[in-house]
Amino acid sequence: MLKRLTHTFIHVLDQDEALDFYVGKLGMVVNTDADLGAMRWLTLNFPDQPDLELVLMVPGPPAYDEATSAQIRELVTKGAAGGGVIFETDDCRGTYETLKAAGVEFTQEPMERFYGIDCGLRDPFGNAIRITQPPDGPVVVPSPEELEAQS
Amino acid sequence: MSRAIEDRNRRMLRARDTMDRAFARSLDVPGLARVAHVSPAHFSRQFRATFGETPHRYLQRRRVERAMELLRETERPVTEICLDVGFNSLGTFSRTFRDVVGEPPSAYRARFAADSALLVPACWAMAWLRPAG
């Protein structure tokens, strides 16, 4: 039987620029940075979560031909590559302020939702990222009145 | 050429994100063009080339999507919702809503029970429940 998720992949257009963002601004650390000849295997993780790696992949040969790579790059830059990642934090508003001051491009300010407080941003290439602060207790589906108060 | 398209895409995405974020505010082509670092004369054409629809139509769909949620999940008056999502007149809102959704706001509301809260992240609901162009 399968046991757990160990790696998830995201397309970036430049791995060094991705490192500046995901490590330099978001606080991830490099897990593996290996030159495999045809490709650079570059993975990151959070210091407290070493067993789940985010793989930063540059679309290109030999995995994809040049035309396909160009299509992928176009989709990434128009925010249509699909996927994306959700990160967890203990303090969504504080994280938002810190990252905003560091020049991170946000698509949504922190909002209270019944599943917590979350905000949205993009990486330098167009990939969608969300940062969520879970609620203190269990997630409770709100009543229509409570939803109205949140809107 | 490809790098030029990628650069254009990224700048147009920045303008579209602005519409997603500030849909309730008064947005115009010169302001969005500034966000995208392109002249107003080129903005609408480049936006359409990138996303397949005009920025005006995208903003309409974004506003209607927010109105749909408020109609589904609150009991607030239609007039109030119309103003909240960025329309200035009930007439324009009703025409646009019917044009995009295919039925008037009141009929749409009647089809949904008030307790149909969505158990998915906001970004997911926003993208997938937006009416098609």
Side-chain angles (χ1 to χ4, degrees):
Chain A
M1 290 293 290
L2 306 184
K3 291 170 64 180
R4 60 196 175 87
L5 181 64
T6 59
H7 296 73
T8 186
F9 292 71
I10 193 166
H11 276 128
V12 300
L13 304 194
D14 182 291
Q15 286 171 312
D16 289 324
E17 190 178 353
L19 278 179
D20 287 343
F21 178 77
Y22 286 96
V23 174
K25 291 183 175 168
L26 299 193
M28 301 187 82
V29 295
V30 175
N31 181 297
T32 306
D33 188 353
D35 182 356
L36 303 184
M39 68 170 292
R40 179 183 178 189
W41 176 254
L42 179 59
T43 80
L44 312 176
N45 61 270
F46 280 102
D48 292 339
Q49 192 183 29
D51 60 346
L52 179 54
E53 296 172 51
L54 179 65
V55 186
L56 304 177
M57 298 288 291
V58 175
Y64 305 106
D65 62 76
E66 290 290 359
T68 305
S69 301
Q71 288 177 320
I72 294 171
R73 295 171 70 98
E74 283 190 34
L75 289 173
V76 169
T77 50
K78 65 165 74 174
V85 288
I86 301 177
F87 296 129
E88 185 179 303
T89 179
D90 291 330
D91 178 11
C92 185
R93 291 194 174 88
T95 303
Y96 167 81
E97 293 299 339
T98 302
L99 294 179
K100 194 174 178 191
V104 171
E105 185 178 326
F106 278 86
T107 56
Q108 183 207 296
E109 296 173 359
M111 289 178 64
E112 296 232 14
R113 295 279 176 169
F114 60 87
Y115 52 79
I117 303 172
D118 78 348
C119 60
L121 58 144
R122 291 201 187 276
D123 76 4
F125 317 104
N127 291 304
I129 295 171
R130 294 194 78 81
I131 297 175
T132 301
Q133 175 186 339
D136 292 334
V139 173
V140 177
V141 180
S143 67
E145 293 75 21
E146 289 166 332
L147 270 176
E148 181 176 4
Q150 286 182 15
S151 64
Chain B
M1 184 60 188
S2 179
R3 293 301 166 93
I5 291 173
E6 290 161 18
D7 179 61
R8 184 198 71 191
N9 286 350
R10 193 67 187 86
R11 287 184 286 104
M12 292 301 127
L13 181 59
R14 199 161 285 133
R16 199 184 72 173
D17 284 343
T18 298
M19 285 192 269
D20 281 346
R21 192 174 55 242
F23 61 89
R25 296 213 296 263
S26 179
L27 296 171
D28 57 18
V29 166
L32 291 167
R34 275 195 300 277
V35 171
H37 298 294
V38 66
S39 73
H42 289 105
F43 175 67
S44 294
R45 185 173 51 77
Q46 291 196 5
F47 188 95
R48 184 168 191 160
T50 304
F51 297 115
E53 65 183 332
T54 64
H56 177 67
R57 185 59 170 179
Y58 183 82
L59 184 58
Q60 282 185 329
R61 292 198 301 117
R62 170 67 171 140
R63 287 171 169 168
V64 166
E65 169 238 317
R66 299 317 302 156
M68 290 166 77
E69 178 180 332
L70 294 172
L71 288 165
R72 282 195 310 268
E73 297 178 2
T74 77
E75 295 175 356
R76 297 165 64 191
V78 172
T79 307
E80 206 174 290
I81 291 173
C82 148
L83 297 173
D84 274 5
V85 300
F87 287 91
N88 293 321
S89 87
L90 186 58
T92 304
F93 170 66
S94 297
R95 272 196 307 279
T96 305
F97 192 97
R98 182 195 284 267
D99 176 49
V100 172
V101 180
E103 62 186 335
S106 54
Y108 175 81
R109 167 175 264 168
R111 288 199 295 115
F112 284 88
D115 61 355
S116 58
L118 293 166
L119 297 171
V120 298
C123 59
W124 199 257
M126 187 178 93
W128 287 93
L129 295 181
R130 184 168 307 146

XYZ file of all heavy atoms in Angstrom, chain A residues 2-97:
741
model
N 0.353 2.315 -0.567
C 1.065 3.600 -0.524
C 1.015 4.156 0.895
O 0.078 3.896 1.649
C 0.411 4.579 -1.483
C 0.247 4.094 -2.926
C -0.321 5.212 -3.789
C 1.559 3.604 -3.494
N 2.038 4.948 1.247
C 2.120 5.390 2.638
C 1.956 6.896 2.828
O 1.222 7.350 3.691
C 3.471 4.954 3.211
C 3.580 3.444 3.374
C 4.996 3.022 3.710
C 5.448 3.578 5.049
N 6.831 3.140 5.356
N 2.635 7.692 2.023
C 2.582 9.127 2.275
C 3.063 9.897 1.059
O 3.695 9.328 0.167
C 3.401 9.499 3.510
C 4.860 9.131 3.396
C 5.567 9.152 4.747
N 6.936 8.683 4.590
C 7.954 9.467 4.256
N 7.753 10.744 4.085
N 9.159 8.970 4.117
N 2.786 11.185 1.052
C 3.247 12.069 -0.021
C 4.644 12.570 0.341
O 4.859 13.082 1.447
C 2.280 13.244 -0.152
C 2.550 14.282 -1.239
C 2.446 13.653 -2.624
C 1.570 15.436 -1.117
N 5.586 12.410 -0.570
C 6.961 12.814 -0.266
C 7.453 13.998 -1.121
O 8.273 14.771 -0.663
C 7.940 11.643 -0.487
O 7.849 11.227 -1.859
C 7.621 10.479 0.421
N 6.993 14.085 -2.371
C 7.445 15.156 -3.264
C 6.247 15.740 -3.998
O 5.343 15.009 -4.390
C 8.420 14.623 -4.329
C 9.702 14.094 -3.781
N 9.783 12.901 -3.100
C 10.964 14.600 -3.818
C 11.044 12.684 -2.744
N 11.780 13.702 -3.163
N 6.280 17.035 -4.202
C 5.304 17.659 -5.084
C 6.082 18.611 -5.992
O 7.116 19.149 -5.604
C 4.191 18.366 -4.287
O 3.208 18.838 -5.199
C 4.730 19.522 -3.473
N 5.606 18.792 -7.213
C 6.388 19.490 -8.243
C 5.734 20.811 -8.633
O 4.505 20.924 -8.654
C 6.501 18.613 -9.496
C 7.338 17.377 -9.298
C 6.890 16.312 -8.525
C 8.599 17.277 -9.874
C 7.661 15.178 -8.331
C 9.373 16.141 -9.689
C 8.903 15.088 -8.920
N 6.570 21.758 -8.954
C 6.055 23.032 -9.458
C 7.008 23.496 -10.567
O 8.229 23.311 -10.472
C 5.941 24.063 -8.310
C 5.120 25.257 -8.739
C 7.285 24.493 -7.794
C 4.705 26.128 -7.561
N 6.427 24.052 -11.622
C 7.266 24.558 -12.707
C 7.697 25.988 -12.404
O 6.860 26.834 -12.062
C 6.502 24.538 -14.036
C 6.545 23.206 -14.716
N 5.401 22.553 -15.157
C 7.579 22.392 -15.030
C 5.749 21.404 -15.711
N 7.055 21.280 -15.650
N 8.975 26.243 -12.535
C 9.511 27.604 -12.399
C 10.297 27.918 -13.674
O 10.704 27.008 -14.399
C 10.409 27.738 -11.151
C 9.618 27.424 -9.886
C 11.634 26.828 -11.244
N 10.529 29.186 -13.921
C 11.227 29.542 -15.155
C 12.730 29.705 -14.936
O 13.502 29.670 -15.897
C 10.642 30.829 -15.745
C 9.134 30.824 -16.024
C 8.761 32.000 -16.922
C 8.673 29.521 -16.651
N 13.114 29.911 -13.691
C 14.541 30.102 -13.380
C 14.768 29.591 -11.954
O 14.169 30.114 -11.002
C 14.892 31.591 -13.498
C 16.368 31.840 -13.244
O 16.806 31.668 -12.081
O 17.070 32.218 -14.184
N 15.610 28.587 -11.818
C 15.761 27.965 -10.493
C 16.461 28.876 -9.486
O 16.152 28.830 -8.300
C 16.495 26.629 -10.626
C 15.592 25.534 -11.224
C 16.351 24.275 -11.559
O 17.395 24.349 -12.187
N 15.821 23.128 -11.173
N 17.401 29.697 -9.940
C 18.069 30.600 -8.996
C 17.119 31.682 -8.495
O 17.113 32.035 -7.315
C 19.304 31.230 -9.654
C 20.420 30.206 -9.837
O 20.574 29.343 -8.960
O 21.110 30.265 -10.862
N 16.298 32.185 -9.416
C 15.301 33.177 -9.001
C 14.272 32.526 -8.068
O 13.806 33.146 -7.112
C 14.614 33.764 -10.240
C 13.748 34.976 -9.930
C 13.107 35.569 -11.185
O 13.428 35.128 -12.310
O 12.272 36.476 -11.024
N 13.964 31.272 -8.350
C 13.027 30.540 -7.478
C 13.625 30.362 -6.089
O 12.919 30.477 -5.078
C 12.692 29.187 -8.101
N 14.928 30.106 -6.021
C 15.580 29.972 -4.713
C 15.499 31.284 -3.934
O 15.241 31.289 -2.728
C 17.052 29.578 -4.893
C 17.360 28.099 -5.123
C 18.855 27.907 -5.312
C 16.870 27.256 -3.951
N 15.738 32.402 -4.622
C 15.643 33.700 -3.951
C 14.272 33.871 -3.302
O 14.147 34.421 -2.207
C 15.859 34.846 -4.954
C 17.314 34.962 -5.368
O 18.170 34.408 -4.660
O 17.580 35.600 -6.404
N 13.256 33.392 -4.015
C 11.895 33.585 -3.522
C 11.528 32.563 -2.437
O 11.163 32.932 -1.315
C 10.910 33.488 -4.693
C 9.468 33.632 -4.291
C 8.942 34.885 -3.996
C 8.643 32.520 -4.190
C 7.615 35.029 -3.615
C 7.313 32.660 -3.813
C 6.803 33.913 -3.529
N 11.631 31.283 -2.784
C 11.137 30.248 -1.860
C 12.031 30.093 -0.623
O 11.545 29.796 0.468
C 11.002 28.910 -2.595
C 9.804 28.872 -3.521
C 9.919 29.160 -4.873
C 8.530 28.573 -3.025
C 8.814 29.142 -5.725
C 7.421 28.545 -3.857
C 7.570 28.836 -5.205
O 6.473 28.832 -6.024
N 13.325 30.302 -0.786
C 14.242 30.211 0.356
C 14.436 31.590 0.981
O 14.246 31.780 2.175
C 15.599 29.623 -0.088
C 16.600 29.663 1.067
C 15.414 28.188 -0.576
N 14.789 32.564 0.134
C 15.126 33.887 0.659
C 13.940 34.623 1.258
O 14.105 35.369 2.225
N 12.750 34.423 0.709
C 11.591 35.171 1.220
C 10.621 34.300 2.018
O 10.097 34.742 3.036
C 10.866 35.849 0.055
C 11.712 36.982 -0.532
C 11.014 37.737 -1.633
C 11.900 38.921 -2.053
N 11.443 39.553 -3.293
N 10.349 33.094 1.542
C 9.344 32.272 2.221
C 9.919 31.427 3.355
O 9.172 30.895 4.172
C 8.624 31.363 1.217
C 7.846 32.060 0.092
C 6.930 31.050 -0.604
C 7.029 33.246 0.584
N 11.230 31.279 3.405
C 11.826 30.582 4.552
C 12.010 29.087 4.390
O 12.242 28.384 5.375
N 11.892 28.587 3.144
C 12.177 27.168 2.950
C 13.696 26.961 2.940
O 14.465 27.930 2.880
C 11.547 26.675 1.625
C 10.036 26.856 1.581
S 9.267 26.105 0.110
C 9.154 24.385 0.629
N 14.123 25.709 3.002
C 15.556 25.405 2.932
C 15.792 24.409 1.800
O 14.884 23.669 1.411
C 16.076 24.815 4.265
C 15.972 25.841 5.378
C 15.321 23.542 4.633
N 17.011 24.419 1.291
C 17.352 23.489 0.213
C 17.521 22.090 0.794
O 18.254 21.888 1.752
C 18.647 23.921 -0.498
C 19.058 22.875 -1.535
C 18.454 25.286 -1.160
N 16.814 21.161 0.221
C 16.959 19.768 0.618
C 18.024 19.099 -0.248
O 18.982 18.533 0.248
C 15.608 19.043 0.477
C 15.671 17.586 0.890
O 16.379 16.795 0.286
N 14.918 17.237 1.942
N 17.842 19.214 -1.587
C 18.787 18.599 -2.521
C 19.010 19.534 -3.701
O 18.043 20.078 -4.246
C 18.231 17.263 -3.063
O 17.879 16.421 -1.962
C 19.258 16.552 -3.935
N 20.265 19.743 -4.045
C 20.598 20.538 -5.227
C 21.666 19.754 -5.982
O 22.845 19.821 -5.657
C 21.111 21.920 -4.797
C 21.285 22.858 -5.997
O 21.130 22.390 -7.145
O 21.566 24.051 -5.768
N 21.224 18.973 -6.955
C 22.130 18.034 -7.614
C 22.144 18.265 -9.117
O 21.095 18.393 -9.746
C 21.687 16.605 -7.315
N 23.356 18.304 -9.655
C 23.514 18.423 -11.110
C 23.471 17.020 -11.700
O 24.403 16.227 -11.508
C 24.851 19.105 -11.412
C 25.052 19.297 -12.912
O 24.189 18.842 -13.697
O 26.071 19.896 -13.291
N 22.409 16.717 -12.396
C 22.261 15.389 -12.989
C 22.662 15.390 -14.457
O 22.320 14.474 -15.194
C 20.813 14.899 -12.842
C 20.254 14.823 -11.420
C 18.849 14.230 -11.429
C 21.169 14.011 -10.507
N 23.366 16.400 -14.866
C 23.782 16.475 -16.265
C 22.730 17.153 -17.108
O 22.837 18.335 -17.417
N 21.693 16.424 -17.434
C 20.632 16.984 -18.277
C 19.723 17.908 -17.497
O 18.970 18.690 -18.085
C 19.822 15.860 -18.902
N 19.756 17.810 -16.201
C 18.857 18.642 -15.390
C 19.456 18.900 -14.020
O 20.373 18.207 -13.577
C 17.501 17.951 -15.219
C 17.594 16.697 -14.365
S 16.013 16.008 -13.886
C 15.395 17.250 -12.777
N 18.930 19.905 -13.385
C 19.311 20.230 -12.004
C 18.143 19.816 -11.107
O 17.050 20.385 -11.217
C 19.573 21.729 -11.889
C 19.944 22.203 -10.494
C 20.105 23.735 -10.513
N 20.418 24.289 -9.214
C 20.436 25.599 -8.941
N 20.155 26.473 -9.911
N 20.718 26.038 -7.727
N 18.390 18.822 -10.288
C 17.358 18.335 -9.369
C 17.418 19.206 -8.115
O 18.366 19.117 -7.333
C 17.603 16.861 -9.033
C 16.676 16.251 -8.031
C 16.972 15.949 -6.739
C 15.321 15.839 -8.232
N 15.886 15.393 -6.122
C 14.857 15.309 -7.004
C 14.443 15.878 -9.310
C 13.568 14.813 -6.841
C 13.150 15.391 -9.152
C 12.723 14.861 -7.937
N 16.437 20.057 -7.976
C 16.446 21.040 -6.900
C 15.172 20.903 -6.080
O 14.067 21.102 -6.596
C 16.521 22.452 -7.507
C 16.512 23.640 -6.540
C 17.684 23.573 -5.556
C 16.544 24.951 -7.320
N 15.334 20.540 -4.825
C 14.152 20.366 -3.970
C 14.319 21.165 -2.677
O 15.426 21.371 -2.185
C 13.905 18.878 -3.609
O 14.785 18.483 -2.541
C 14.105 17.981 -4.815
N 13.184 21.587 -2.155
C 13.155 22.384 -0.927
C 12.218 21.730 0.079
O 11.357 20.935 -0.290
C 12.632 23.799 -1.223
C 13.219 24.559 -2.413
C 12.481 25.891 -2.567
C 14.696 24.789 -2.225
N 12.404 22.114 1.314
C 11.435 21.702 2.340
C 11.412 22.765 3.433
O 12.264 23.668 3.453
C 11.787 20.334 2.940
C 13.131 20.308 3.617
O 14.154 20.020 2.992
N 13.149 20.618 4.918
N 10.450 22.653 4.309
C 10.448 23.551 5.466
C 11.288 22.902 6.566
O 11.311 21.668 6.686
C 9.023 23.809 5.951
C 8.328 24.845 5.121
C 7.400 24.470 4.166
C 8.638 26.192 5.263
C 6.781 25.435 3.379
C 8.034 27.152 4.480
C 7.102 26.775 3.531
N 11.983 23.723 7.364
C 12.865 23.156 8.392
C 12.165 22.144 9.296
O 12.764 21.145 9.684
C 13.310 24.394 9.188
C 13.249 25.508 8.194
C 12.065 25.198 7.313
N 10.895 22.389 9.604
C 10.187 21.464 10.494
C 9.484 20.345 9.739
O 8.749 19.555 10.353
C 9.148 22.239 11.329
C 9.826 23.170 12.326
O 11.010 22.928 12.642
O 9.174 24.134 12.774
N 9.667 20.296 8.439
C 8.976 19.262 7.651
C 9.933 18.713 6.575
O 9.729 18.932 5.382
C 7.713 19.856 6.997
C 6.781 18.821 6.410
C 5.590 19.467 5.714
O 5.653 20.574 5.210
N 4.480 18.749 5.721
N 10.950 17.993 7.011
C 11.975 17.533 6.054
C 11.513 16.429 5.122
O 12.180 16.138 4.140
C 13.095 17.036 6.972
C 12.403 16.648 8.238
C 11.261 17.603 8.399
N 10.388 15.816 5.407
C 9.997 14.653 4.604
C 8.991 14.981 3.505
O 8.456 14.088 2.868
C 9.435 13.547 5.511
C 8.219 14.015 6.284
O 7.983 15.239 6.325
O 7.517 13.168 6.858
N 8.721 16.263 3.289
C 7.888 16.649 2.143
C 8.654 17.703 1.349
O 8.895 18.807 1.830
C 6.530 17.212 2.595
C 5.607 17.674 1.456
C 5.385 16.566 0.426
C 4.262 18.141 2.006
N 9.053 17.307 0.129
C 9.912 18.173 -0.689
C 9.137 18.809 -1.830
O 8.315 18.165 -2.481
C 11.081 17.359 -1.252
C 12.002 16.815 -0.170
C 13.038 15.860 -0.733
O 13.715 16.224 -1.711
O 13.154 14.737 -0.212
N 9.400 20.087 -2.035
C 8.860 20.808 -3.185
C 9.953 20.809 -4.259
O 11.042 21.338 -4.044
C 8.499 22.242 -2.782
C 7.943 23.138 -3.881
C 6.599 22.625 -4.390
C 7.782 24.577 -3.376
N 9.659 20.215 -5.398
C 10.641 20.107 -6.479
C 10.442 21.271 -7.443
O 9.333 21.491 -7.945
C 10.485 18.767 -7.226
C 11.604 18.606 -8.257
C 10.474 17.592 -6.254
N 11.498 22.021 -7.667
C 11.433 23.176 -8.584
C 11.945 22.741 -9.948
O 13.144 22.544 -10.140
C 12.274 24.328 -8.023
C 11.931 24.794 -6.607
C 12.901 25.882 -6.160
C 10.495 25.296 -6.522
N 11.042 22.593 -10.872
C 11.379 22.058 -12.193
C 11.327 23.161 -13.246
O 10.359 23.916 -13.311
C 10.372 20.982 -12.598
C 10.326 19.770 -11.688
S 11.784 18.723 -11.876
C 11.518 18.083 -13.521
N 12.352 23.208 -14.062
C 12.336 24.108 -15.224
C 11.895 23.298 -16.439
O 12.519 22.289 -16.769
C 13.728 24.713 -15.482
C 13.708 25.551 -16.755
C 14.161 25.573 -14.304
N 10.813 23.696 -17.091
C 10.384 22.935 -18.265
C 11.394 23.062 -19.394
O 11.794 24.180 -19.744
C 9.041 23.582 -18.634
C 9.094 24.950 -18.047
C 9.954 24.853 -16.812
N 11.817 21.953 -19.936
C 12.791 21.999 -21.017
C 13.214 20.608 -21.427
O 12.826 19.623 -20.780
N 14.029 20.519 -22.479
C 14.524 19.228 -22.931
C 15.424 18.599 -21.865
O 16.064 19.332 -21.106
C 15.327 19.564 -24.190
C 14.871 20.925 -24.590
C 14.473 21.616 -23.330
N 15.514 17.297 -21.746
C 14.866 16.319 -22.637
C 13.450 15.921 -22.217
O 12.792 15.178 -22.936
C 15.808 15.119 -22.523
C 16.309 15.196 -21.116
C 16.440 16.651 -20.807
N 13.004 16.399 -21.054
C 11.667 15.990 -20.613
C 10.595 16.505 -21.582
O 9.626 15.811 -21.886
C 11.409 16.518 -19.205
N 10.777 17.744 -22.029
C 9.824 18.338 -22.962
C 10.599 18.930 -24.125
O 11.665 19.514 -23.925
C 9.020 19.457 -22.292
C 8.293 19.055 -21.035
C 8.758 19.459 -19.791
C 7.143 18.279 -21.088
C 8.100 19.099 -18.620
C 6.484 17.904 -19.928
C 6.958 18.318 -18.703
O 6.309 17.954 -17.560
N 10.052 18.835 -25.316
C 10.701 19.478 -26.456
C 10.540 20.988 -26.321
O 9.771 21.480 -25.476
C 10.099 18.975 -27.779
C 8.630 19.307 -27.878
O 8.306 20.472 -28.131
O 7.792 18.398 -27.677
N 11.242 21.737 -27.148
C 11.262 23.202 -27.020
C 9.867 23.808 -27.169
O 9.493 24.727 -26.431
C 12.204 23.815 -28.064
C 13.685 23.532 -27.809
C 14.233 24.276 -26.596
O 13.484 25.028 -25.958
O 15.426 24.079 -26.284
N 9.095 23.291 -28.112
C 7.759 23.859 -28.341
C 6.858 23.618 -27.137
O 6.134 24.519 -26.693
C 7.148 23.251 -29.604
N 6.924 22.403 -26.596
C 6.097 22.094 -25.425
C 6.555 22.914 -24.225
O 5.731 23.415 -23.442
C 6.182 20.587 -25.097
O 5.812 19.845 -26.257
C 5.259 20.221 -23.945
N 7.869 23.058 -24.078
C 8.401 23.865 -22.976
C 7.898 25.306 -23.068
O 7.534 25.910 -22.051
C 9.929 23.860 -23.013
O 10.420 22.558 -22.918
N 7.876 25.830 -24.283
C 7.384 27.202 -24.456
C 5.914 27.301 -24.060
O 5.490 28.283 -23.445
C 7.579 27.643 -25.908
N 5.142 26.263 -24.379
C 3.722 26.270 -23.994
C 3.576 26.252 -22.477
O 2.747 26.968 -21.909
C 3.010 25.060 -24.598
C 2.810 25.152 -26.111
C 2.167 23.899 -26.682
O 2.478 22.787 -26.281
N 1.265 24.089 -27.618
N 4.382 25.431 -21.823
C 4.310 25.362 -20.359
C 4.686 26.709 -19.750
O 4.032 27.201 -18.830
C 5.230 24.245 -19.823
C 4.723 22.877 -20.283
C 5.306 24.294 -18.295
C 5.691 21.732 -19.980
N 5.758 27.307 -20.278
C 6.188 28.603 -19.751
C 5.091 29.649 -19.923
O 4.856 30.483 -19.039
C 7.466 29.053 -20.458
C 8.658 28.155 -20.195
C 9.839 28.526 -21.088
N 10.403 29.809 -20.700
C 11.473 29.937 -19.926
N 12.087 28.865 -19.472
N 11.934 31.120 -19.608
N 4.423 29.595 -21.061
C 3.338 30.557 -21.283
C 2.204 30.341 -20.288
O 1.631 31.288 -19.747
C 2.804 30.429 -22.708
C 3.705 31.075 -23.739
C 3.035 31.153 -25.104
O 1.810 31.337 -25.152
O 3.749 31.016 -26.111
N 1.885 29.076 -20.026
C 0.801 28.789 -19.081
C 1.172 29.237 -17.672
O 0.348 29.798 -16.949
C 0.470 27.291 -19.099
C -0.238 26.796 -20.354
C -0.364 25.273 -20.332
C -1.627 27.422 -20.493
N 2.424 28.996 -17.281
C 2.869 29.423 -15.946
C 2.738 30.935 -15.818
O 2.193 31.447 -14.838
C 4.326 28.985 -15.683
C 4.871 29.654 -14.427
C 4.421 27.468 -15.545
N 3.201 31.660 -16.823
C 3.233 33.119 -16.702
C 1.846 33.751 -16.800
O 1.672 34.888 -16.380
C 4.151 33.747 -17.777
O 3.806 33.220 -19.066
C 5.607 33.440 -17.485
N 0.877 33.022 -17.352
C -0.474 33.575 -17.336
C -1.311 32.981 -16.192
O -2.521 33.109 -16.153
C -1.173 33.427 -18.686
C -1.452 32.024 -19.130
C -2.467 32.006 -20.281
C -1.879 32.454 -21.594
N -2.862 32.275 -22.699
N -0.636 32.305 -15.255
C -1.324 31.786 -14.071
C -2.227 30.615 -14.368
O -3.175 30.350 -13.625
N -1.942 29.894 -15.446
C -2.831 28.816 -15.871
C -2.147 27.459 -15.877
O -2.623 26.528 -16.528
C -3.378 29.127 -17.268
N -1.043 27.343 -15.142
C -0.310 26.072 -15.155
C -1.001 25.022 -14.305
O -0.672 23.843 -14.375
C 1.120 26.283 -14.666
N -1.957 25.455 -13.504
C -2.647 24.498 -12.639
C -1.845 24.250 -11.381
O -0.695 24.655 -11.250
N -2.469 23.576 -10.470
C -1.758 23.259 -9.234
C -1.497 24.491 -8.392
O -2.356 25.367 -8.256
N -0.301 24.565 -7.845
C 0.000 25.609 -6.872
C 0.131 24.949 -5.518
O -0.031 23.733 -5.384
N 0.475 25.726 -4.530
C 0.693 25.141 -3.205
C 0.019 25.988 -2.128
O -0.210 27.186 -2.311
C 2.212 25.019 -2.885
C 2.856 23.924 -3.709
C 2.933 26.325 -3.120
N -0.306 25.327 -1.037
C -0.875 26.014 0.127
C 0.072 25.781 1.300
O 0.408 24.630 1.614
C -2.282 25.478 0.473
C -3.228 25.666 -0.724
C -2.831 26.205 1.709
C -4.627 25.103 -0.507
N 0.523 26.864 1.914
C 1.398 26.774 3.069
C 0.616 27.116 4.330
O -0.335 27.897 4.289
C 2.570 27.760 2.944
C 3.493 27.473 1.787
C 3.832 28.464 0.889
C 4.031 26.202 1.613
C 4.683 28.209 -0.170
C 4.890 25.934 0.554
C 5.218 26.938 -0.341
N 1.057 26.565 5.435
C 0.393 26.841 6.709
C 1.260 27.776 7.546
O 2.487 27.730 7.485
C 0.176 25.526 7.473
C -0.609 25.694 8.763
C -0.825 24.356 9.458
O -1.394 23.439 8.827
O -0.404 24.236 10.631
N 0.595 28.626 8.315
C 1.303 29.531 9.217
C 0.526 29.649 10.521
O -0.671 29.340 10.571
C 1.433 30.930 8.571
O 2.101 31.807 9.477
C 0.074 31.529 8.248
N 1.216 30.100 11.560
C 0.527 30.368 12.826
C -0.034 31.782 12.856
O -0.842 32.119 13.718
C 1.501 30.209 14.005
C 1.908 28.755 14.216
O 1.089 27.867 13.912
O 3.044 28.523 14.666
N 0.438 32.646 11.941
C 0.060 34.060 11.973
C -0.030 34.580 10.536
O 0.951 35.079 9.981
C 1.097 34.845 12.785
C 0.805 36.341 12.823
O -0.295 36.745 12.402
O 1.694 37.095 13.265
N -1.207 34.471 9.963
C -1.366 34.846 8.548
C -1.147 36.345 8.338
O -0.440 36.757 7.412
C -2.770 34.447 8.065
S -3.031 34.728 6.316
N -1.726 37.154 9.216
C -1.608 38.609 9.020
C -0.163 39.077 9.200
O 0.329 39.930 8.460
C -2.548 39.347 9.982
C -4.019 39.146 9.637
C -4.922 40.131 10.362
N -6.297 40.011 9.901
C -7.202 39.177 10.411
N -6.861 38.394 11.425
N -8.423 39.107 9.919
N 0.502 38.542 10.202
C 1.899 38.924 10.419
C 2.786 38.488 9.264
O 3.663 39.241 8.812
N 2.534 37.283 8.778
C 3.310 36.784 7.640
C 3.064 37.636 6.418
O 3.990 37.968 5.657
C 2.934 35.310 7.356
O 3.159 34.538 8.537
C 3.758 34.739 6.216
N 1.813 38.006 6.228
C 1.449 38.865 5.087
C 2.230 40.178 5.130
O 2.808 40.611 4.132
C -0.058 39.117 5.120
C -0.550 40.213 4.206
C -0.762 39.974 2.855
C -0.809 41.493 4.704
C -1.223 40.970 2.015
C -1.260 42.500 3.880
C -1.473 42.245 2.534
O -1.917 43.238 1.707
N 2.239 40.805 6.300
C 2.932 42.092 6.422
C 4.438 41.941 6.169
O 5.056 42.771 5.492
C 2.686 42.696 7.814
C 1.248 43.116 8.087
C 0.741 44.201 7.138
O 1.565 44.919 6.540
O -0.493 44.318 6.985
